[in-house]
Each structure stands twice: as C-alpha cells, then as structure tokens.
Amino acid sequence: MKLREFIERDEAISKKFQIIETDHRLKPLAVLFAHSGDSWFWLAGLLVIFLTSSQEWKYRALVMTVSFVILAVIVLFIKFTVRRRRPEGEWGKIYRATDPHSFPSGHAARAFLFAILALGLGPAWFGIILIIWAPLVTFSRVLTGVHYLSDVIAGAIIGIFAGIVILLILPQINSILIWGLSL
C-alpha cells in the first residue's frame, strides 16, 4: 500500500469514528476524556502534588514532570517535521489554533507515558487507574475529530516507548531528581 492510499484510508476510518458533530450519547464523555489529557491540566496537577504531598509523591510528580517535558520536545519535533494537518471540524478550535499539526497525538503520547510511569513507580492503584484512563483519552481524540486514528496510535507507541526508556534509565538519574527534591 502506498503512503497516499494509507492516508486516505486512515482519514476515512477516522471520519467514521467521529461523534462530536452528532447528538451521540457518548459525546459528553468523549469531550471529558479528550480534555482530561490536556497538558495544562496535568502540569497543574503535578505542581499541586509536588507542593502538597509526601516525599514519595513529590518524587513521582518530579519524574512525571521531567518526563513530560522530554516527551513534549520529542512530539513537537515530530509534529513540525511531519506537519500533518488536523481533521476539519468545529470542535477543538483551541487545539487547531495552538497546534495545527496532528501527527503524532501529544495527548495519546502523554497519557500512555503517564500510565507506564505510574505502573513502574506505583502504587498499583495509581498505575491501574492510568492504564484504564490512557486508551480512553487516546480514542476520545479521534471521537472528537481532532486526530486521525494513526495519530493516536503513533502517539501511544511513542508514549509507551518513552515511559519504558525512562523507567530503565531512572536508576542512573535518580541522584539528579533527588537533588531537585532537596531544593
């Protein structure tokens, strides 16, 4: 299959999943999950955790924040290299205005990065919640029409890979993170 054929098929399949321009009963949930992966929401939450929690949770928040920044650089580099336009639509104007490029999905990458980190850093309930939440955020981005299916699949793969790599190198960089906690 040629790239153009793949893109056309991806666009057609993605269009079939879009519910945002309809009266579909899952629309409010799709919108909720689509926004729950927003970067500002997570950065604010991680800051609150860092400022108000135990050392163990401060450590988790610091690891997740540093990982988020690294992932954001990677995703933005790919987005500005590929430059795939987002699907047409009315909903999600904020996303279209602030980031017109759709490939890969930063929300999907972030959701799966956080899920993998939560599984690795614990506690178990935190990992379980995020591993359930990540696919819901990811697929909601297609349902709401701000991403194509291949965008979210690529984002999820990038997030999973980044999370695994970070967990593997974490023992080597713990002294830097612990230093950050002592500031």
Side-chain angles (χ1 to χ4, degrees), residues 120-142:
L121 297 171
W125 64 265
F126 185 49
I128 291 167
I129 288 171
L130 291 188
I131 207 68
I132 293 168
W133 167 80
L136 295 171
V137 169
T138 298
F139 195 57
S140 73
R141 305 298 289 173
V142 178

Side-chain angles (χ1 to χ4, degrees), residues 43-149:
L43 287 175
L46 290 169
L47 179 63
V48 168
I49 290 169
F50 187 81
L51 294 175
T52 63
S53 297
S54 67
Q55 286 297 105
E56 191 175 341
W57 279 99
K58 284 181 194 282
Y59 174 76
R60 288 182 186 109
L62 186 59
V63 169
M64 292 177 95
T65 301
V66 170
S67 301
F68 164 81
V69 171
I70 293 167
L71 181 71
V73 170
I74 293 166
V75 167
L76 287 173
F77 175 79
I78 296 169
K79 280 185 176 222
F80 283 99
T81 301
V82 174
R83 296 182 176 268
R84 184 179 192 188
R85 304 288 304 163
R86 289 186 184 272
E88 295 295 322
E90 287 299 310
W91 189 86
K93 289 182 181 179
I94 185 93
Y95 302 115
R96 288 177 173 84
T98 58
D99 180 9
H101 307 301
S102 69
F103 185 89
S105 167
H107 280 70
R110 185 169 37 258
F112 275 95
L113 168 76
F114 288 159
I116 296 300
L117 291 177
L119 285 172
L121 297 171
W125 64 265
F126 185 49
I128 291 167
I129 288 171
L130 291 188
I131 207 68
I132 293 168
W133 167 80
L136 295 171
V137 169
T138 298
F139 195 57
S140 73
R141 305 298 289 173
V142 178
L143 293 174
T144 55
V146 291
H147 279 289
Y148 298 106
L149 194 56

Side-chain angles (χ1 to χ4, degrees), residues 150-168:
S150 63
D151 300 339
V152 298
I153 291 170
I157 291 168
I158 291 167
I160 291 167
F161 181 74
I164 290 169
V165 168
I166 288 164
L167 288 173
L168 289 173

